Amino acid sequence: DEVIEGVLEDSVLLPCKCSEINLNKEFRWQMETPLVLVLKYHSNTANFSGRYKGRAKTFLNEANNNCSVLLTNITAADQGNYSCRFYRENQYNILSVNLNVSASYNVCQRSPNNIGGDLSVKDFQCDVSGRYGDAEIQWKLDGQLLTNSSTTNITNKYTLNAPAGLYHFHSKLITKLNMTSAPTCEVKAKGISTVISYECGAVNEAVRNPRPEYVVRYVKAIPIMLVLGLSLVLWRRCKFSQ
């Protein structure tokens, strides 16, 4: 099967070349496991079903040899194996593709701090932002996964920045390990692949420190004050001219 890579909330094309398709017979796309109908095409009409309504498109009306389907705003549930089924003359054809969906995250690991002046106790912090909330931060040391123990304490939390649609994850690792190398953090999405970029920039600061509400109110109030001031000037001019 051909493997197609897609990123969460992006668009992805599931290809299917169907030259000499018999349009007098039914053509369909479906997900195989679990079995979910994507579309049925019959009598020059494409009927999309269920969760695919409003976010899928077929190109068969534009070209009779192109049975590909464009999925938009893809979700984790869209990941799986799909089949394109059509007739060429009276021969039934099945073409399969496998859609692999991944979620992208930005990871920022801060420089460690000593706690209470004790050089043997270090505080490591990690910030992650992304659009898929079903994920977790993991700490590793020399390739080995770190967990809570008598020498290691890990705390995690996450918040949703609703206007931006971003999930923000924060993890703190406090350890008494006598390490020759430093632990590193990463993020792992559940059920789908993970694409990670590493950058400590303004994006994380904006998520942690959204713009104060009073600033927005002040900006909105400026145009109103200008209109009132202009109206007052015009009223005084009219009064004195009389």
Side-chain angles (χ1 to χ4, degrees), residues 16-236:
C16 180
K17 293 182 179 179
C18 54
S19 57
E20 300 179 4
I21 184 174
N22 184 349
L23 293 177
N24 293 318
K25 294 182 176 289
E26 184 183 86
F27 146 62
R28 68 164 58 195
W29 269 94
Q30 65 186 41
M31 176 186 275
E32 295 300 325
T33 307
L35 185 60
V36 179
L37 180 65
V38 178
L39 77 88
K40 282 184 179 180
Y41 189 97
H42 192 64
S43 301
N44 295 322
T45 302
N47 296 305
F48 293 93
S49 64
R51 65 174 185 256
Y52 298 99
K53 287 183 178 179
R55 62 182 191 92
K57 176 185 177 182
T58 182
F59 301 91
L60 195 53
N61 286 332
E62 302 169 13
N64 285 342
N65 62 349
N66 187 359
C67 292
S68 304
V69 166
L70 179 69
L71 299 182
T72 62
N73 194 26
I74 59 176
T75 68
D78 291 332
Q79 178 170 276
N81 185 261
Y82 291 80
S83 64
C84 170
R85 298 165 176 261
F86 63 94
Y87 282 89
R88 181 179 289 120
E89 297 295 336
N90 290 316
Q91 180 182 0
Y92 196 50
N93 292 264
I94 302 176
L95 300 178
S96 297
V97 296
N98 191 61
L99 174 60
N100 182 39
V101 178
S102 61
S104 59
Y105 296 90
N106 183 74
V107 175
C108 172
Q109 181 173 340
R110 307 291 176 180
S111 299
N113 298 311
N114 294 322
I115 296 180
D118 187 348
L119 298 180
S120 66
V121 182
K122 292 187 179 295
D123 172 6
F124 296 85
Q125 298 196 38
C126 181
D127 291 291
V128 174
S129 59
R131 296 189 179 277
Y132 185 55
D134 197 4
E136 62 179 358
I137 294 177
Q138 296 181 338
W139 290 94
K140 291 185 177 181
L141 179 64
D142 297 329
Q144 299 297 315
L145 184 66
L146 294 175
T147 58
N148 283 316
S149 66
S150 59
T151 57
T152 302
N153 180 261
I154 300 173
T155 56
N156 297 310
K157 65 178 182 179
Y158 82 95
T159 56
L160 171 62
N161 185 343
L166 281 174
Y167 290 91
H168 176 69
F169 305 82
H170 178 78
S171 183
K172 178 186 287 189
L173 166 67
I174 299 177
T175 180
K176 295 180 181 179
L177 293 175
N178 185 16
M179 299 173 294
T180 57
S181 58
T184 57
C185 71
E186 61 184 40
V187 61
K188 183 176 179 59
K190 297 179 181 178
I192 59 176
S193 303
T194 307
V195 178
I196 301 175
S197 60
Y198 294 90
E199 181 182 0
C200 295
V203 173
N204 286 329
E205 295 300 326
V207 172
R208 288 197 303 274
N209 302 302
R211 186 172 55 170
E213 185 179 358
Y214 68 83
V215 174
V216 178
R217 290 178 178 176
Y218 180 72
V219 171
K220 289 182 178 179
I222 290 177
I224 299 174
M225 294 173 65
L226 290 174
V227 172
L228 291 175
L230 181 60
S231 299
L232 181 60
V233 171
L234 294 175
W235 177 79
R236 290 177 63 88

